[in-house]
Amino acid sequence: MEFDGADGRDLMALAAGHLAGADPDLDLVEPACTALAGRIDRGDMMIGILPVEAAGVVVAGLSAAGRAGSAAAWTTLGRCYLGVSGAVLPPPPGDEPGAPEDLARRCFAAAATLGDRDGALLFAWACADGPAEAQRAAREHLRPHATTDAEARYRLGLVEQWLGDPATAVEHHLWAAGRGNADAAFELYVLYSTGEGVARDDDTGRTWLVRAADLGQPRALYNVGAGHATGTGFPADLTLAADYYRRSADAGNARAAAMLGYMHLVGEGVPPDDGTAARWFDTAEDLGHPVDDWLDQLDLDRPQR
């Protein structure tokens, strides 16, 4: 059932009405609460379009669906805890209070326990800064999926790194990268370049960096661009550097967008063009780069469109 165009207050009333019954229709409650969670995540509750009671309805509805066996309900609720209004969402009924990050991990773990791949991936991602106990649990949730799934195998490699076993991480990343996982290829570049888990080998590291860039990994594209810009590890070629920066920026890398703005501003590797520079600086800022502070450090004025 689709609720994308429904009014948020109507969704809230519909879900709350069913949840008040002795035998709520969870096939209706779950999609209604999923749509309502999307409204909360975009900020409707913060700006008053939805009342704060909507948070409790979403939590009650999605946790009820999750306990009935819906992994998707748990992952949706976990993402909601990590959203812009996550701090005002109560814990699931009967659960202990906690920080939004802790509540999200509990939701993702519940989905993973149901055998859900996305739940296992999200739980591992949410455990990057979590306690070792949670990371060990993430390893166990990932293992069934990592035998055939390159993304799960890459995440398993990351977990092994967090747990202090980079040598085992290398094995997982090699498997995942060999099956086309760009992030695993980039991680191999990092490990070979730093000598973690393997003997340091800059040539092998550079090979994996190029492989990751060929697969479209944003940081790899940036690093290859920087290598061509400075002549470090790659032939100096500002035109080629700009091309790699452009591909990286198009993939969402803020620093690459800022570098393109700089190159168009000063005419390095590309024709000078204040308008194009301004557009790339705007893109970099939208992606989170502190453009004005950076330009101040370079003693440059930001151009206007």
Side-chain angles (χ1 to χ4, degrees):
M1 190 173 295
E2 297 291 334
F3 292 105
D4 289 346
D7 179 81
R9 290 176 180 269
D10 290 342
L11 288 173
M12 176 183 162
L14 176 67
H18 278 269
L19 289 167
D23 186 21
D25 182 356
L26 295 179
D27 288 336
L28 187 149
V29 168
E30 181 179 348
C33 286
T34 297
L36 192 57
R39 313 295 172 82
I40 291 175
D41 193 48
R42 75 185 184 189
D44 284 10
M45 200 164 60
M46 294 180 66
I47 60 177
I49 296 176
L50 284 174
V52 293
E53 291 80 8
V57 173
V58 163
V59 172
L62 290 178
S63 59
R67 286 166 178 158
S70 172
W74 283 126
T75 57
T76 298
L77 184 55
R79 288 189 176 100
C80 205
Y81 280 121
L82 297 177
V84 294
S85 300
V88 301
L89 268 65
D95 202 350
E96 294 292 325
E101 297 80 6
D102 294 329
L103 294 171
R105 277 196 288 266
R106 293 179 205 170
C107 292
F108 297 146
T113 300
L114 292 170
D116 183 65
R117 170 193 180 267
D118 288 345
L121 294 177
L122 285 165
F123 181 60
W125 170 76
C127 287
D129 297 317
E133 180 182 2
Q135 293 171 352
R136 286 191 289 270
R139 178 170 59 190
E140 297 310 310
H141 286 311
L142 286 169
R143 276 178 171 158
H145 307 284
T147 57
T148 57
D149 187 311
E151 180 66 18
R153 193 65 167 263
Y154 157 67
R155 301 284 181 100
L156 183 56
L158 288 182
V159 171
E160 294 291 4
Q161 288 174 240
W162 303 336
L163 290 171
D165 190 354
T168 299
V170 169
E171 297 176 13
H172 293 317
H173 292 321
L174 284 169
W175 190 95
R179 286 155 181 79
N181 187 280
D183 290 324
F186 184 81
E187 209 62 41
L188 286 167
Y189 151 69
V190 173
L191 293 170
Y192 274 102
S193 297
T194 59
E196 289 188 58
V198 289
R200 179 169 178 170
D201 186 330
D202 289 340
D203 289 338
T204 300
R206 189 159 43 248
T207 296
W208 280 115
L209 176 62
V210 172
R211 174 62 175 154
D214 289 343
L215 290 168
Q217 213 281 344
R219 291 179 296 169
L221 289 164
Y222 176 87
N223 284 12
V224 174
H228 283 298
T230 62
T232 304
F234 295 90
D237 187 329
L238 288 173
T239 300
L240 193 54
D243 181 63
Y244 274 101
Y245 285 146
R246 186 174 298 105
R247 291 166 60 194
S248 179
D250 287 342
N253 188 286
R255 291 174 63 192
M259 285 304 302
L260 278 171
Y262 169 81
M263 294 177 83
H264 279 284
L265 182 62
V266 301
E268 286 189 0
V270 292
D273 186 328
D274 283 0
T276 301
R279 286 193 293 274
W280 280 117
F281 286 140
D282 288 348
T283 298
E285 190 167 63
D286 290 342
L287 292 170
H289 193 279
V291 171
D292 290 330
D293 290 344
W294 184 61
L295 289 175
D296 284 344
Q297 293 173 15
L298 298 174
D299 198 25
L300 292 171
D301 294 325
R302 183 170 180 171
Q304 302 300 314
R305 290 198 187 199

